[in-house]
Amino acid sequence: MTKLSILFVDDEPNVLHGLRLMLRSKRKEWSMSFVGGGEQALAAMEEKAYDVVVADMRMPGMDGVALLEEVRDRWPCALRIILSGHSEYKDILQSIRPAHQFLTKPCTPEDLSGAIDRANWLQAAGLNEGLRRVVTSIDSLPSLPDVYFELREELSLETPSMHRVGEIISRDLGVSASLLKLVNSSFFGLPVRVSSPAQAVNLLGMDTVSYLVVTLRLFSAFDRPERLAGLRSSLWDHSFATAGLARVIAHLEHADQSVSGDCFIAGLVHDVGRLIVAAHLKKEHEQIMERLQAGEDLLKAEQAVLGTTHAEVGAYLLALWSLPERVVEAVHNHHVPSRSKDSGFTPLTATHVANVLEQTPIPQEGDPDVSNPEMGLDMEYLHRIHLDQRLPVWRCVCMEKKIEAEEGDVEG
Amino acid sequence: MNKNIANWFWPPWFIFAGLLAGVALALLDAAVRSYFYWELFLYELRHPIPDEFFKRLAMVAFCLALGFFVQRIMNSRRVLAEELEEANEKLEERIEERTRELVRKSEDLATFRQAMNMSEDAIFLLDGLQERLVDVNDAACRHFGYNREELFALSPREFVTEEGYPAAQKVFEDVVSGRVDVGRIDVPHIRKDGTVFPMEMHFNSMTRRGRLLVIAVGRDVSERRAYQRRLEEERELLETLLNGLKAAFLILDRNTGAIEEMNAVAEELMGFSLEKIKGLPCDQIFRMLEVGPRHISSCPEGEKEPAPYEEGQLTRLDGKVTPVSKSVFPVRWGGRDCWAQVFFDISERQALERQLSVAQKMESIGQLAAGIAHEINTPTQYVGDLVRFLQDACTDMREMIRKLEERMAKGGAGEEFVEFYQEQAEAFDLDFLDEETPKALSMAQEGVERITRIVQAMKKFSHPGAEEKRAVDINAALDNTATVAKNEWKYVAEMTFDLDPDLPPVPCLPGDMNQVFLNLLVNGAHAIGEKVKNSHEKGMLKISSRVDGDWAEVRIGDSGTGIPEENRHKIFDPFFTTKEVGKGTGQGLSIAYNIVDKHGGTISFESEEGVGTTFIIRLPLHPPDMENSEEAS
């Protein structure tokens, strides 16, 4: 394995020196460079492409945000990390777009190594160069226009309801993913693991959410509504429903709060890769849609066009954004869970099963017994983690939930 | 008699006429004779005939006598006519005179009547013995609502209410009997329509042509009563207002300084009742209340114009201290020039102000907190890193020592051991550790010192609980404030100090003064930030101090955008800000101004657009309110 090359940028020489000494033990895995400002960092990047850039936020001259923006545009493959001593919300929020991850000073060596080592994972993810460029340069995800405008409208009220805002955001995987990127960063130092977008809104507070949406325009409406054709139900509605089912399954397995939260999130964002393709890879998206119409299987079509599937692409972005590893793992393997090393219930289990059950039609009365109840499910995986016996229970409860939801829709 | 004779013949027109007629007749006679008898005439002329001569002479005499006679008759007629005319004139004159007199008399009477009627007061002329009306004026009719005829038909007792009558009766009798000269009653009277109104009636007696008359002059006092009532109401309202506003007022004679009047609030505030101290000189009273360091000077001194507004404390004799504000203004009271003093109890306001100033301080500290956190986080980061490195280095060294000891235990010695040592030293990078460990230690120490410094600066800056002025080392305060605010300026400016080492301590409230310096520094940093943004350049902040006579002068200058001409007059106004919403409340300079003003100092600025602004704060080295406490200490 080649050494990761990392560039540290900080205007405080003592900080650089401290990092250099502390990370000396990593010298066998990493090749590190240290520079004192934005301009020098760009000069260093020109000489040699770095895998990771760790920058301070506020520096005289070119500051961290400007530097990372430049890096995003010129060397999109580099993992961009902010390491800042600032505790000002607005300052850090400025960097939410160009930075993949935020770390706050003082930062433990473990956190720092963990963040940097994500780069290893990313390199191993097996995306081709072109795809990596596209995904690493993404700084925000588009949302459904109506969801987006509903959100803007709610926020423009004199007293927006936190509950409503959380609920609106939960329906949109793009906004949810962007928000989760933020709240899971160490900057907020949140004492609890954020388990749902609604909770994220609660923890961030209306002011911050409002600032993100209205001022920073972190989320934007999908600017090509025509590309949404056919995606709306198969992507947004499906994601939201899957998230709900994944949580139901987690409850059935008596998973603790944090695991069931991750199940919900993983369910919500498991198809984020499809959103990326639709929003950022126009040509590929069209080709895939053509193949789908020709009756080809989604995964095969993606494999043929992209050389990989939406699961990998989505996981790549979520890994960049430092979402919890369990979530990244769940998204990455949600079609082929047996790839994982799981030996028990994980968010992957819930996501995989929920994803399949959500697409399974509700059995109608008088129907003959479902001919192939295991269709689409990775029975080998379930068997390995000793949960194949639980499947009937999950199916039963999930179908009930689906019927409830449908009835709700009809009534609504 | 002579005059009469003269009058008879003068002027003598008829005498002359007779003479002329006689001569003419004689001449005519002679002419007739000579015409017919010319020779005879000539003859006669030479030989006068006496008969003829006498005849003619007689003719002349006759005519002359006739002239006399006619003259006399004519003249006597004229004289008679003249006398008659004269007598006539005299008569006319007398008649005129008489007429004038009569007119005058009747005019007098009319004037008197008119005057009587013009009077607003009701006037009754009564027969003293018969209790009967003799005359009334129009006002009487008006007041009582009757016409004259109706009035005359009434008995005087019908004008007065039944309850009032005995009193009126008694006074009337007193006047009639001469027991009193002037009687006065103030009883309700009744109008024709039955309404009752207050009337004050004066009785006066007099004798005319043997009759005892009583003049009763009545005045309708309902308006006066209403006016009095209104005055009372106004006074009551004023009193209620002042009491409601908790305004204590007292009125002092401008010349004597005596206390003339005060209200209940003032009594409560001072702990004296008006009865006790009315008329006493002000300073004698207030001298007892003006104790403590921040007492108020309550009495105007002599001719000197008192300060129109002052704040301070009053200490009651029972020891209760009240912070008060005092306003003084000139008034007229009882026809004299007086001072009105109004005191307000401002303890609540002061409590609020204190809370507000604490809140403002908290706000500025809150603003600083993020920057200070950064200033602390940075050294914490590298101190942590260095300690981690030292830990690793320590582990490595111990590991190496352990290996060397093992080797030594095996009895290795000589060159072989040296070789082993060098091998290990290389493996563990001993040279590097040897070089870097001491550096890391000192750097870590320096980092800890940095943290300590900022924490201490913060502590000094906030100065909790300093409510009294004390001697403050302004240079240290400036340095300290710059440290606390370092994160606000270090990215945009270089800081230079030019502090006068001989600057004596300046009496001030340290917390407040720090706030002034902070506000000005942060403003300067923002002005520079505005100018250098996106240019990657740095501006200059310059802080200097010096002594200027009895003043300490602090200058805080920046090389920022400068203040545009049109904003210069309003930068000290509260809530004036040019910063974007959320970046400034517009209170900074206003607070600075108030604080410096409270210290008896001045704050001004020099500014050039695009070049920068320098704020100049001047503080008195010997403020008057510190003299006492300085002596005391």
Side-chain angles (χ1 to χ4, degrees), chain A residues 42 45 98 118 136 139 156 163 194 201 215 217 249 317 337-338 350:
Chain A
L42 290 180
M45 292 287 285
R118 276 283 166 113
T136 38
D139 56 16
S156 68
H163 176 76
V194 179
V201 172
T215 311
R217 300 175 162 275
I249 294 169
L317 183 74
S338 48

Side-chain angles (χ1 to χ4, degrees), chain B residues 7-168:
Chain B
N7 278 344
W8 283 341
F9 297 104
W10 198 262
W13 306 121
F14 289 99
I15 299 173
F16 283 148
L19 188 62
L20 275 176
V23 171
L25 206 62
L27 282 176
L28 189 67
D29 179 59
V32 173
R33 279 177 68 97
S34 59
Y35 181 72
F36 292 110
Y37 312 107
W38 182 247
E39 279 88 20
L40 184 68
F41 178 73
L42 290 174
Y43 175 79
E44 260 181 36
L45 209 56
R46 264 172 262 133
H47 308 288
I49 305 158
D51 281 1
E52 279 305 314
F53 179 73
F54 282 121
K55 189 182 88 186
R56 281 173 197 144
L57 199 64
M59 279 165 109
V60 172
F62 176 75
C63 283
L64 190 62
L66 193 67
F68 263 103
F69 184 67
V70 172
Q71 181 77 46
R72 195 180 153 192
I73 290 171
M74 292 309 284
N75 269 15
S76 68
R77 274 195 60 167
R78 187 177 56 91
V79 168
L80 265 177
E82 274 174 7
E83 274 177 2
L84 190 69
E85 202 174 328
E86 201 173 319
N88 213 5
E89 269 172 20
K90 270 186 187 159
L91 188 70
E92 271 177 14
E93 245 169 58
R94 286 198 60 188
I95 289 170
E96 263 174 34
E97 204 172 311
R98 181 95 186 130
T99 313
R100 266 203 302 279
E101 206 171 313
L102 277 172
V103 167
R104 201 169 60 239
K105 272 188 180 162
S106 77
E107 271 178 358
D108 280 353
L109 200 66
T111 312
F112 171 70
R113 247 254 85 84
Q114 202 177 358
M116 203 167 132
N117 282 338
M118 269 167 70
S119 165
E120 271 304 308
D121 294 344
I123 301 171
F124 298 86
L125 209 57
L126 296 129
D127 190 304
L129 300 175
Q130 297 174 8
E131 267 190 43
R132 187 174 60 76
L133 267 181
V134 177
D135 200 357
V136 290
N137 69 348
D138 290 352
C141 301
R142 244 185 353 262
H143 282 308
F144 285 86
Y146 297 99
N147 61 31
R148 286 177 73 84
E149 288 68 34
E150 287 169 336
L151 269 182
F152 279 109
L154 291 173
S155 150
R157 69 180 305 160
E158 286 175 72
F159 300 144
V160 187
T161 55
E162 220 161 291
E163 302 82 55
Y165 184 71

Side-chain angles (χ1 to χ4, degrees), chain B residues 242-279:
Chain B
L242 286 171
N243 290 346
L245 290 170
K246 300 202 174 117
F249 83 87
L250 66 162
I251 289 175
L252 308 170
D253 190 299
R254 206 156 165 175
N255 296 317
T256 62
I259 296 169
E260 296 291 330
E261 177 73 337
M262 61 200 273
N263 67 348
V265 187
E267 290 181 339
E268 168 68 24
L269 180 72
M270 293 163 58
F272 292 112
S273 70
L274 177 62
E275 287 168 31
K276 269 192 182 167
I277 60 170
K278 186 166 183 168

Side-chain angles (χ1 to χ4, degrees), chain A residues 6-17:
Chain A
I6 302 152
L7 182 63
F8 290 93
V9 192
D10 202 304
D11 62 317
E12 183 76 52
N14 288 357
V15 170
L16 288 181
H17 194 75

Side-chain angles (χ1 to χ4, degrees), chain B residues 363-374:
Chain B
E363 191 191 321
S364 62
I365 290 172
Q367 279 171 356
L368 288 179
I372 285 166
H374 185 241

Side-chain angles (χ1 to χ4, degrees), chain A residues 74-324:
Chain A
R74 291 173 62 186
W75 298 278
C77 288
L79 176 62
R80 304 181 292 272
I81 300 174
I82 281 278
L83 173 59
S84 168
H86 271 270
S87 45
E88 193 86 18
Y89 258 41
K90 298 230 161 121
D91 285 341
I92 205 93
L93 295 179
Q94 297 263 324
S95 71
I96 185 171
R97 296 182 76 133
H100 289 127
Q101 296 179 34
F102 323 89
L103 295 171
T104 49
K105 290 177 188 165
C107 160
T108 64
E110 290 75 23
D111 284 347
L112 189 55
S113 320
I116 292 171
D117 279 334
R118 276 283 166 113
N120 277 325
W121 189 95
L122 293 169
Q123 281 183 341
L127 261 64
N128 64 42
E129 176 78 13
L131 216 45
R132 272 177 65 193
R133 268 177 184 279
V134 170
V135 179
T136 38
S137 59
I138 290 172
D139 56 16
S140 72
L141 288 171
S143 42
L144 275 177
D146 47 350
V147 172
Y148 176 71
F149 290 117
E150 204 178 326
L151 183 60
R152 288 287 300 246
E153 199 176 319
E154 183 70 27
L155 288 173
S156 68
L157 296 179
E158 207 160 311
T159 50
S161 144
M162 206 172 253
H163 176 76
R164 281 275 301 144
V165 171
E167 195 242 339
I168 295 167
I169 289 176
S170 297
R171 295 209 313 263
D172 192 279
L173 66 156
V175 179
S176 294
S178 307
L179 208 58
L180 291 166
K181 167 191 178 187
L182 191 64
V183 286
N184 281 317
S185 75
S186 71
F187 163 67
F188 286 98
L190 296 176
V192 290
R193 186 68 165 277
V194 179
S195 57
S196 76
Q199 195 190 358
V201 172
N202 276 326
L203 291 167
L204 288 176
M206 287 314 293
D207 282 352
T208 307
V209 173
S210 193
Y211 183 76
L212 290 171
V213 174
V214 179
T215 311
L216 286 181
R217 300 175 162 275
L218 178 63
F219 320 122
S220 48
F222 210 125
D223 56 353
R224 297 276 176 72
E226 72 276 5
R227 283 205 226 159
L228 292 177
L231 277 183
R232 194 188 178 96
S233 70
S234 72
L235 193 48
W236 272 275
D237 297 349
H238 165 65
S239 295
F240 187 56
T242 306
L245 296 185
R247 186 156 55 189
V248 167
I249 294 169
H251 286 319
L252 288 173
E253 293 312 302
H254 306 290
D256 66 26
Q257 188 77 27
S258 79
V259 174
S260 78
D262 282 348
C263 290
F264 181 83
I265 291 170
L268 190 61
V269 299
H270 73 279
D271 274 346
V272 73
R274 296 191 64 195
L275 179 62
I276 296 169
V277 174
H280 295 276
L281 297 160
K282 186 179 172 230
K283 210 169 72 219
E284 289 82 349
H285 177 65
E286 278 165 9
Q287 289 172 3
I288 293 169
M289 294 310 271
E290 275 166 25
R291 280 166 184 264
L292 283 182
Q293 271 165 7
E296 204 169 325
D297 179 59
L298 173 67
L299 293 180
K300 281 190 185 128
E302 283 178 340
Q303 194 72 45
V305 175
L306 300 169
T308 184
T309 70
H310 66 268
E312 281 80 17
V313 174
Y316 194 88
L317 183 74
L318 299 177
L320 273 175
W321 283 5
S322 192
L323 260 71

